[in-house]
Amino acid sequence: MGYRDKINLLKLPRHIAIIMDGNGRWAKDKGKLRIFGHHNGVLSVRDVVEGAVDLNIEYLTLYTFSTENWNRPKLEVTAIMELMVSTIHKEIDNFMKKNVKLNAIGDLDKLPPKCHKELNNAIEVTANNTGMVLTLALSYSSRLEILHAVKIIASKVNNGELNVDDINEDIFEENLFTNGMPNPELLIRTSGEFRISNYLLWQIAYAELYFTTKLWPDFRKEDFFEAILDFQKRERRFGMTSEQVN
Ligand code: IPE
Ligand code: IPE
Ligand code: MG
């Protein structure tokens, strides 16, 4: 029996976030250029999306490119952006077949115009799909997202639209890029790194963290199902006692 069959379909996380890490090392291990790893990482994305759709997961959010990643060698950045354009273009049919709605969060204006255009087109084409919401965190920084929310809220206070005393968690969340989505219950990071790397800092306050040493291009839906199964074995107490939550 595979992991898929052991999953309790009534206890699924509504939102799963993934830090897809290890493409470069995967390629290096094979004596190839880093970009070879990124190309193979796309196959993992396709497989995991398929697995998530199969389980009827509502939201899947993938860390695809951070604002810090802009500091990588120009050749790698250019290659990643080109890969993004061709992948998004190729995947549209698949998204339509699977009823997946594409979404993106981050400083998208920084993307090369061609990439931004392809992304906007795919978002538009899939806008009426009612299945899983697939969000790509692109040119994304959680600290910038938080600062962006703070600025909007401050300006509302400034022009009298909002009272300082009325600022609460709900209002704050409404001003994050993830507005309208539930917070991720499960965060997966591949490649054996134990850090968050500026990803969804506010949103993962109570997420269950799952780390695997598998490099992203080796990660497949079976690994994804294994992570969900691990999640289902945990007791989420939210500050209470075990007796209280049981
Ligand atoms: C993740 O893999 C993909 C991106 C960050 C774009 P990496 O490229 O970070 O691979 P490693 O961590 O160097 O192996
Ligand atoms: C995080 O991976 C960003 C993405 C997966 C897109 P990095 O490889 O950039 O993270 P660090 O630099 O190792 O923390
Ligand atoms: Mg990395």
Side-chain angles (χ1 to χ4, degrees), residues 21-22 25 72 189:
D21 197 16
R25 278 163 284 167
R72 290 193 178 189
R189 183 172 191 149

Side-chain angles (χ1 to χ4, degrees), residues 19-21 63-66 69 72 189 195 197:
I19 302 175
M20 311 184 287
D21 197 16
Y63 205 0
T64 310
F65 197 84
S66 71
N69 290 150
R72 290 193 178 189
R189 183 172 191 149
R195 56 177 171 266
S197 303

Side-chain angles (χ1 to χ4, degrees), residues 171-223:
I171 291 198
F172 196 80
E173 289 191 348
E174 277 167 24
N175 289 288
L176 292 172
F177 299 146
T178 49
N179 176 29
M181 298 188 205
N183 287 320
E185 289 111 312
L186 171 60
L187 171 71
I188 300 170
R189 183 172 191 149
T190 58
S191 90
E193 305 294 354
F194 298 96
R195 56 177 171 266
I196 302 300
S197 303
N198 205 3
Y199 193 41
L200 304 172
L201 299 177
W202 169 283
Q203 295 90 335
I204 60 165
Y206 251 109
E208 295 297 327
L209 309 182
Y210 180 88
F211 297 98
T212 166
T213 52
K214 275 224 173 155
L215 302 173
W216 178 252
D218 287 329
F219 193 88
R220 286 294 187 270
K221 62 171 94 156
E222 201 53 17
D223 304 292

